[in-house]
Amino acid sequence: MYRPPGPGTQLSDALPMPSPAPRTRLGGQRLRRMSRARIVLWLRLTLRSACNPYRARCMEGQPQGLPNPAEMENGTAPREEEPASEAQETTVTEGAAKIAFPSSNEVFYNPVQEFNRDLTCAVITEFARVQLAAKGIQIKVPGEKDVQKVVVDLSEQEEEKAELKEGANLAPGDQPRTAAVGEICEEGLRVLEGLAASGLRSIRFAQEVPGLHSVVANDASARAVDLMCRNVQLNGVAHLVHPRQADARMLMYQHQKASERFDIIDLDPYGSPAPFLDAAVQAVSEGGLLCVTCTDMAVLAGNSGETCYSKYGAMALKSRACHEMALRIVLHSLDLRANCYQRFVVPLLSVSADFYVRVFVRVFTGQAKVKASASKQALVFQCVGCGTFHLQRLGKASGASGGRVKFSAACGPPVAPECEHCGQRHQLGGPLWAEPLHDLDFVGRVLEAVSTNPGRFHTSERIRGVLSVITEELPDVPLYYTLDQLSSTIRCSTPSLLQLRSALLHAGFRVSLSHACKNAVKTDAPSSALWDIMRCWEKECPVKRERLSETSPAFRILSVEPRLQANFTIRDDANPSSRQRGLKRFQANPEANWGPRPRARPGGKAAGEAMERRRLHQNKRKEPAEDPVQRAARLKTFPCKRFKEGTCQRGDQCCYAHSSPAPEDRPETPYQNPPGPGMAAGPGVD
């Protein structure tokens, strides 16, 4: 009988050997065929049985169903993590929230983004004030003296009419409905934080923003969700904040129905938010608020245009206006994804700060309004020589009979193959958002609320400064130039900001600053007028033309006489109000190594290694500074030219040798041939 062989089974135990047979020719061939077949069968069974225990041991030590590494990016897939080690925790107090997070890099937290979180709380508060006012609910913000009205520009007669109307609607003894901080408002806003990490932002919403119905704090990491649950209990906001572990995209896709959508969605991922935008524009309610942060500024600023196109559907250019271009690329990407579902976006506030950009947009539905989206996007033609840029709209909207709007393709391009100023070629970027970046009425309300209640946020001073500059920006002028860009192009000294602004104002053009750049010049003046002003400035501070190459942009620009005579007399309105008041418009470095932090890792083992690696890589392309003693000894090996000529007056203080060094003391030179009679033996630097 056949018996299955085991790992240690011998051939004689597994298969009985055949009995001896007569040694005939036919019997010998049959015996050899039967023996060969039994040996092959025995080898197969032996190898299979020997591999089974090894395969079982391998499967026991390897978890099944590992997620795709691509899904682990930005925390988009739930993952099983290592058991939490006994690590110390750090308690952080920010705003009204108090959270505990591991000292190691297990859960992501960056204290530099406190300005981001403060600004978000301020924006959501004003958004809740507007939304709940339509339902007859007034919000109470801590620190405000009384309940503010939504409409702040009513005349006295209109105020009296509004008060009489409110009094007529209210029954005797009834009080207007109010919503306070930390209380559940049945008709309030439903908030989703898709990537909550430690839950700090959600807890701050619950403790600082009134008029909320619920806050869903979601994260894909099980360790982050456990930490959120503890922080929620620590702050006593379990009735408002509901931690949840899920893929942020799947969670938003599950709330596409109009009755299940969120009124506010906040996305602050590590890196690019591109994987979440499609789900976000579908999960936000009609007229809801979508808050998006992008920290991949290297991609958005033009360092990798093809990567920017793959993520946001636009080519980014290296430009002095790269930070505003990044904002407009993000808005274009949001509107493009919303258009797929007959929706469109309306920007409320767009901010470029520190190492990230932050946009606040409202999402609406309307097929007719979606048709106008093409006319809101534009391509950018930028000269590689002088940096002059021109915008080309993708679509054209024109009025038709009966008050209708007719949409058609735009005509272009707006430039010739070569730049009209310097003769260089153009680069093509975009598409990007060409409409205003902000709703100035809404920005004014946020600014007023922060100014009247400065003790509410730790970064109130900076919020006031940034929003003040935003209110001074020209809303209908995309992108900007910079002072150093204009002056370095023609190789001249840089005029002061007030001088250039005054020259533009004297010429009849509008000009403003930009919150995205300290020395930005945002103006509606054409590029020809701007270069005429710089030509006039060069006449006051002449440039040595003989040092300029005939093919350089500076030579070609300055070879043309200006047709506009600029006046650089300082005007009173050239100095913006925010600058006169000395507001904190641009942030100084808050701390050492204040940029983007390393990605959170399970167990936090890679945090110290990442910081050490970052420290070692700093200035790696720069040559180390030479020791002064070694430099002095090296220079003493070269003879002094002036000493040979008899003109050196430094004596012993000269850094070069006053006597020819011995041949063996001379350093080796890279020259293959010995110097000629008229050549010096050393560099002979004076």
Side-chain angles (χ1 to χ4, degrees):
M1 296 295 292
Y2 170 73
R3 181 176 42 163
T9 307
Q10 300 297 326
L11 177 60
S12 57
D13 299 332
L15 293 175
M17 296 303 294
S19 58
R23 288 292 179 177
T24 62
R25 183 176 182 181
L26 181 60
Q29 294 178 356
R30 185 178 302 172
L31 177 61
R32 286 194 296 270
R33 286 198 299 268
M34 293 177 61
S35 300
R36 189 181 300 113
R38 289 188 177 185
I39 292 173
V40 171
L41 178 61
W42 175 82
L43 288 174
R44 288 181 179 177
L45 295 176
T46 303
L47 291 176
R48 184 183 302 172
S49 59
C51 290
N52 285 335
Y54 177 75
R55 186 184 296 112
R57 288 194 299 269
C58 292
M59 295 301 294
E60 289 175 0
Q62 179 180 359
Q64 300 181 4
L66 285 177
N68 188 4
E71 297 177 355
M72 298 292 290
E73 282 293 321
N74 292 319
T76 56
R79 55 183 180 269
E80 296 293 334
E81 298 173 340
E82 301 175 2
S85 59
E86 296 295 333
Q88 296 181 355
E89 291 186 350
T90 304
T91 302
V92 175
T93 301
E94 183 179 298
K98 182 179 180 181
I99 67 165
F101 70 97
S103 300
S104 58
N105 194 32
E106 293 180 349
V107 179
F108 186 80
Y109 169 73
N110 193 349
V112 177
Q113 288 207 8
E114 182 180 5
F115 169 76
N116 186 344
R117 291 182 281 268
D118 287 350
L119 181 62
T120 303
C121 290
V123 170
I124 292 180
T125 300
E126 294 307 309
F127 179 75
R129 194 191 304 273
V130 174
Q131 293 293 96
L132 297 183
K135 303 177 182 179
I137 303 175
Q138 295 177 339
I139 63 173
K140 290 184 177 181
V141 180
E144 292 185 356
K145 295 181 180 179
D146 54 358
V147 179
Q148 298 181 359
K149 297 182 180 298
V150 176
V151 182
V152 295
D153 55 348
L154 291 177
S155 62
E156 295 181 359
Q157 297 180 356
E158 291 177 344
E159 276 190 21
E160 294 178 358
K161 293 180 181 179
E163 291 177 359
L164 293 175
K165 185 177 180 180
E166 290 179 1
N169 293 336
L170 293 176
D174 290 348
Q175 296 292 333
R177 293 186 297 170
T178 60
V181 170
E183 298 179 356
I184 297 178
C185 182
E186 295 299 333
E187 300 182 22
L189 306 180
R190 300 174 66 246
V191 184
L192 168 65
E193 185 184 3
L195 305 150
S198 62
L200 173 60
R201 194 182 298 255
S202 297
I203 294 173
R204 289 195 60 181
F205 291 164
Q207 293 189 333
E208 300 180 24
V209 179
L212 301 183
H213 179 270
S214 62
V215 180
V216 178
N218 176 77
D219 201 280
S221 170
R223 184 173 288 108
V225 175
D226 293 339
L227 184 61
M228 274 190 286
C229 294
R230 294 189 318 187
N231 289 329
V232 167
Q233 296 296 331
L234 178 63
N235 291 268
V237 291
H239 60 290
L240 272 175
V241 181
H242 309 292
R244 184 166 180 177
Q245 181 185 4
D247 185 340
R249 294 171 297 183
M250 295 305 300
L251 179 61
M252 290 186 286
Y253 280 134
Q254 293 170 358
H255 290 77
Q256 295 183 15
K257 291 185 179 180
S259 59
E260 299 179 359
R261 292 174 177 171
F262 297 97
D263 299 299
I264 300 173
I265 295 180
D266 191 301
L267 296 176
D268 189 0
Y270 188 95
S272 173
F276 310 98
L277 298 183
D278 182 79
V281 296
Q282 300 181 65
V284 67
S285 62
E286 180 67 14
L289 181 64
L290 181 57
C291 318
V292 180
T293 300
C294 305
T295 58
D296 55 336
M297 287 301 297
V299 174
L300 289 169
N303 286 352
S304 181
E306 65 280 0
T307 304
C308 184
Y309 180 82
S310 65
K311 292 183 177 181
Y312 301 98
M315 285 291 294
L317 300 178
K318 286 188 177 181
S319 168
R320 298 300 177 92
C322 59
H323 294 91
E324 182 177 331
M325 189 178 294
L327 287 171
R328 296 185 179 277
I329 287 176
V330 174
L331 291 176
H332 158 74
S333 182
L334 284 169
D335 192 62
L336 183 64
R337 285 169 166 83
N339 291 162
C340 298
Y341 309 101
Q342 301 300 319
R343 311 193 82 182
F344 61 96
V345 301
V346 176
L348 292 182
L349 177 62
S350 306
V351 178
S352 173
D354 299 333
F355 53 87
Y356 60 90
V357 292
R358 178 76 164 168
V359 296
F360 301 87
V361 300
R362 297 186 68 180
V363 183
F364 295 92
T365 305
Q367 185 176 5
K369 294 292 184 68
V370 170
K371 294 181 179 180
S373 293
S375 59
K376 299 177 182 178
Q377 321 298 327
L379 298 173
V380 181
F381 291 85
Q382 178 178 282
C383 175
V384 299
C386 61
T388 304
F389 58 84
H390 300 269
L391 267 68
Q392 169 66 61
R393 299 271 181 158
L394 291 183
K396 180 180 178 181
S398 56
S401 59
R404 297 177 302 170
V405 179
K406 182 180 179 181
F407 301 101
S408 59
C411 299
V415 295
E418 295 181 352
C419 177
E420 59 178 329
H421 304 294
C422 66
Q424 301 290 335
R425 66 186 187 278
H426 291 92
Q427 284 184 330
L428 183 61
L432 48 81
W433 181 265
E435 292 295 300
L437 296 174
H438 325 282
D439 184 347
L440 294 182
D441 293 336
F442 182 81
V443 174
R445 291 178 181 176
V446 178
L447 177 59
E448 182 183 3
V450 175
S451 301
T452 56
N453 190 8
R456 185 184 177 194
F457 302 114
H458 184 257
T459 60
S460 294
E461 184 180 356
R462 186 184 178 190
I463 293 177
R464 286 181 56 202
V466 172
L467 296 184
S468 298
V469 178
I470 287 176
T471 56
E472 297 170 352
E473 290 182 7
L474 296 177
D476 55 342
V477 178
L479 306 182
Y480 53 81
Y481 297 94
T482 59
L483 281 174
D484 57 326
Q485 170 195 0
L486 297 174
S487 58
S488 63
T489 301
I490 60 175
R491 301 294 191 268
C492 72
S493 60
T494 304
S496 68
L497 180 65
L498 296 183
Q499 287 176 325
L500 185 59
R501 287 172 59 92
S502 299
L504 290 168
L505 292 174
H506 282 300
F509 301 109
R510 296 179 299 156
V511 62
S512 73
L513 296 176
S514 173
H515 78 281
C517 184
K518 184 181 298 185
N519 56 349
V521 179
K522 184 184 284 287
T523 178
D524 61 347
S527 58
S528 58
L530 195 59
W531 288 119
D532 280 345
I533 293 176
M534 293 305 299
R535 293 186 185 102
C536 295
W537 173 257
E538 188 271 337
K539 292 182 180 299
E540 298 187 6
C541 305
V543 176
K544 294 183 179 180
R545 305 293 181 89
E546 61 273 9
R547 295 187 176 182
L548 300 179
S549 172
E550 295 183 359
T551 59
S552 64
F555 183 87
R556 295 187 176 183
I557 292 175
L558 295 178
S559 61
V560 178
E561 288 296 322
R563 291 173 293 180
L564 172 67
Q565 298 302 320
N567 183 5
F568 294 98
T569 305
I570 303 298
R571 291 180 43 152
D572 295 336
D573 54 349
N575 196 10
S577 174
S578 61
R579 195 169 181 265
Q580 293 178 4
R581 290 181 291 168
L583 297 179
K584 190 176 182 179
R585 301 172 298 160
F586 303 99
Q587 171 70 12
N589 293 350
E591 60 182 17
N593 302 320
W594 60 276
R597 298 299 177 92
R599 184 189 298 274
R601 303 288 183 182
K605 299 178 182 178
E609 299 175 3
M611 296 301 295
E612 180 66 18
R613 187 164 56 252
R614 177 186 295 182
R615 185 187 65 81
L616 293 176
H617 286 178
Q618 286 182 351
N619 301 324
K620 64 180 181 180
R621 291 187 175 91
K622 294 183 179 179
E623 296 182 359
E626 188 177 4
D627 184 56
V629 178
Q630 295 179 356
R631 183 177 183 273
R634 181 176 58 84
L635 293 179
K636 278 294 184 182
T637 60
F638 298 103
C640 179
K641 283 185 177 181
R642 294 184 179 180
F643 176 75
K644 289 183 178 181
E645 298 172 355
T647 59
C648 183
Q649 301 177 358
R650 297 183 181 181
D652 296 338
Q653 301 296 328
C654 183
C655 60
Y656 297 101
H658 283 190
S659 61
S660 300
E664 60 271 9
D665 295 337
R666 291 183 181 178
E668 296 182 0
T669 60
Y671 300 107
Q672 298 295 333
N673 300 324
M679 297 179 60
V685 180
D686 294 338

